[in-house]
Each structure stands twice: as C-alpha cells, then as structure tokens.
C-alpha cells in the first residue's frame, strides 16, 4: 500500500521555509507523500530536549530545564491488509488502479495502484543502480486511483440518472439504435456498427449503446450533464486524506473557451455524454458514484482513518443526490441487467448478485482503450462498491471485469464457501 502510506525523508530547505511556524529543524524527518504527508501533524509528535547553562568555553554548568519528547498519534487505517494484498496481486504487471469501498460508511477497504514502489528504499541512500531501475517503471509514484483519465461508458450511469430526473427519459422510452447518429453532416458511430434496434434505458445500459446517449445529450445540454454528473462527485475532489488528488474535468462552454479558445458545439455534448472528449474522472470518484447509486443517494466522503476512541468510522455525507429513488432504481435495474445479459457477463456466475457498468475509453493516439468497470454488490442489500481501471488495457468487459470478479471472491469468500 505504498501509495496510501507514502514515505518519510529528511526535510528540505524549501519545506523548512514553508513550515517555519511549526518548529522544524535541519535534519528532521518529514512525510513526503501519502498518509505520511497528509497527516504529518498527527503523526509527528514533539521533540524533547534540555536547556543548559554553559561557561565561556562551552562547558556545562547546570541543567536549567528538561522537556520529555511526546510521541505522535497512532493511526489505524480502514485498509484491510489481506484484501489490499489480493488486489495488488491482481493488478501486478499492469498500469492500473482499483478501489474497494463500503457503500454505507465510505470506508476504503483497498486502494491499489500499479506500478508501485518500495518505500523502504528511502530509509537509506538510494544507489544510482536502484534509481535507474525505478525510472524504467511507468510513473511508479503516481497514484492512479486518485489521478484522472477518460472514463468512457461508466460515465453513462450518472448521465442516465440526470436524464431521468429531468423527465426527458423514462423507464419505457424507446430509442431506435441503428449503429450511428447524425448531426447535420457529422456522423457519430456507435461501438456496434449495426445497432440494436428498438431499446429502452435498461438495454442501453446493459449493452452500452452509445447512440441513446448521443440523443439524450442534445436534449439535456452540457450544462445539465455537468449539473447531474457533478452531483455524483465528478469534477471535484473527494477530499480523501491523501495529497495529490485530481478533481478531474467536467467541461462546459466556459471551460472550453478558457482552455481551447473555441465555443462549445453539439458534438462536444455528444462526446461528453459517453465519457469521451474532454471528460476526465478518477477511479476513486467512480467508486463514490456507484456507492451513491447503491446506498440510496448519499454521496460519501471516502474514509481512510478509523476513530481511535470509538474504533469505528463515522460516515460523512458530502451531499444527497437531488434525484428520486424511483429514478435511481431505474439505473440500478440497468446496471443489474449489464451483469445478467450485458457487457459484464464475467460477474454473472459469481454466486452473488452484482451490478456493473463497463467502459472502454478511447485514448488517442494510443490504439488500446482504457479498460474500466464500476460495480456494487449485493444488488438488494449493497455492501461494497468496486472500481477497476486498467490504463490502455482494452475492453472493460474482457479485462477489468474479471479482476472485479476476483476481488468479489475475496470479499465474499465466506458466503461463497457455504
């Protein structure tokens, strides 16, 4: 769990200057990244020492005062060490991240990012040979779980909920899927070139039918897409107790004018509706989204610390979704159908009723898509939400889904053994 724990090192002159009001000295050790950095004040403690009187040549005459050192706080994390080890094993050899969260409390039970690093190497001088070996890895110090990437179709979960709440989408509304969608002279293709015929929102989620969302995007408009997807946590930091968290990007006309100097076009809304174009989210945000869908609309802050006094985690609700439970239930039916007969069939015979939404996000100029899955289980009495992200891994249903399945096997090993 190196990306969670972080490491310590000798304080730099820049850090000394930034922390000049906190009584640090040259030679002190300080947290550099991870929990070691974000909770430095609680972990640090206070140094002890003596005030002594000396003569003109520095010989001790007497001790004026002694101060005993004070130990820093012990912190207990929510991370399940066995589960964490299992998730890290499942991601080994990939550029990937996975998050497992309790949907009712926000407790992060596992958060893995690969490639990673051994924090023990910072406790002594790093040899040139070791540093060369580390540099050959692909950003091992980057915590991909809190870094943002193009999400692809997992974004449709939040878009669907928003369209339902606006009233432009209903459970029974029919869309004709023919493999493409045209705006003027521009043609936007579906991933399935022949289409699916007449479909409702359940099938649109289950088979991840792009053209349904192209049509909805023009009816919603980008401002409403942004409004409802931000409700789920996208476009803002979750404020987990880790440094370096990305807030991602939920674009609109103002954003595009600022960074691209061009106005927003209908085609931008089309791309955004399926989690492409300018949209970026983090695996942690995606897990918060699925937890909110599972728990009835509570957007929870992800928690890494257990309270030392109570031994529990007090859930912290960031906000409640302004989306009716009836509309959320329509989306829940869709993500359940994704497992029953859709793109997440890898979870179908798990032995636990799971839900899911897969994603295969284009990442130009790379040929391979990002592979995503967001899921929660059990369907009726949800306990856990999982996100698996494999950078340029391929199709979500083929690559990310089997990893999520194996994580569930670890989470429910007692139930599945009976």
């Amino acid at each position: 769990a190196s990306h969670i724990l972080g490491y310590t090192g000798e304080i730099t002159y820049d850090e000394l200057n930034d922390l000049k009001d906190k009584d640090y000295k040259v030679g002190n050790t300080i947290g550099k990244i991870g929990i070691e950095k974000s909770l430095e004040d609680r972990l640090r403690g206070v140094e002890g020492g003596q005030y002594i009187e000396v003569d003109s040549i520095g010989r001790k005459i007497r001790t004026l005062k002694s101060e005993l050192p004070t130990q820093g706080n012990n912190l207990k994390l929510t991370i399940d060490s066995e589960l964490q080890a299992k998730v890290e094993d499942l991601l080994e050899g990939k550029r990937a991240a996975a998050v497992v969260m309790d949907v009712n409390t926000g407790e992060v039970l596992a958060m893995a990012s690969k490639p990673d690093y051994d924090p023990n190497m910072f406790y002594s001088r790093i040899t040139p040979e070791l540093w060369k070996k580390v540099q050959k890895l692909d950003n091992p110090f980057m915590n991909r779980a809190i870094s943002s990437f193009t999400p692809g179709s997992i974004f449709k979960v939040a878009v669907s909920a928003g369209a339902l709440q606006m009233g432009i989408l209903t459970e029974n509304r029919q869309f004709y899927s023919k493999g493409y969608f045209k705006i003027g002279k521009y043609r936007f293709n579906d991933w399935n070139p022949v289409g699916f015929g007449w479909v409702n929102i359940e099938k649109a989620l289950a088979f991840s039918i792009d053209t349904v969302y192209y049509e909805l995007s023009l009816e919603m408009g980008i401002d409403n897409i942004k409004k409802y997807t931000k409700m789920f946590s996208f476009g803002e930091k979750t404020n987990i107790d880790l440094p370096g968290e990305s807030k991602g990007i939920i674009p609109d006309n103002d954003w595009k004018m600022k960074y691209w100097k061009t106005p927003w076009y209908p085609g931008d809304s089309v791309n955004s509706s399926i989690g492409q174009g300018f949209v970026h989210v983090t695996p942690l945000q995606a897990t918060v989204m699925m937890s909110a869908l599972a728990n009835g609309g509570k957007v929870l802050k992800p928690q890494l610390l257990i309270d030392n006094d109570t031994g529990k985690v007090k859930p912290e609700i960031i906000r409640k979704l302004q989306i009716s439970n009836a509309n959320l239930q329509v989306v829940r039916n869709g993500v359940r159908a994704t497992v029953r007969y859709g793109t997440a069939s890898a979870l179908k015979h798990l032995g636990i009723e799971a839900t899911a939404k897969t994603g295969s996000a284009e990442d130009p100029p790379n040929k391979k898509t990002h592979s995503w899955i967001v899921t929660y289980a059990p369907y009726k009495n949800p306990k856990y939400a999982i996100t698996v992200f494999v950078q340029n891994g391929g199709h979500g249903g083929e690559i990310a889904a089997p990893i999520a399945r194996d994580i569930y096997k670890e989470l429910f090993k007692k139930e599945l053994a009976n």
Side-chain angles (χ1 to χ4, degrees), residues 236-274:
E236 63 183 21
K237 294 182 179 182
T238 67
N239 290 321
I240 191 171
D241 288 319
L242 288 174
E245 182 185 13
S246 170
K247 67 178 184 179
I249 301 170
I250 304 298
D252 59 10
N253 183 67
D254 291 342
W255 180 90
K256 193 181 177 193
M257 286 298 296
K258 180 179 179 180
Y259 293 102
W260 289 78
K261 312 302 180 189
T262 58
W264 192 265
Y265 297 112
D268 294 322
S269 296
V270 165
N271 283 328
S272 296
S273 71
I274 62 167

Side-chain angles (χ1 to χ4, degrees), residues 4-5 35 39 42-43 73-81 107-108 241 303-313:
I4 299 170
L5 300 176
I35 286 284
L39 299 179
R42 296 175 63 178
L43 290 165
N73 293 299
N74 290 322
L75 301 180
K76 186 175 182 181
L77 301 185
T78 59
I79 299 298
D80 179 320
S81 60
E107 293 176 68
V108 178
D241 288 319
Q303 305 274 4
L304 279 174
L305 293 181
I306 294 173
D307 186 273
N308 284 341
D309 296 326
T310 65
K312 298 179 180 179
V313 166

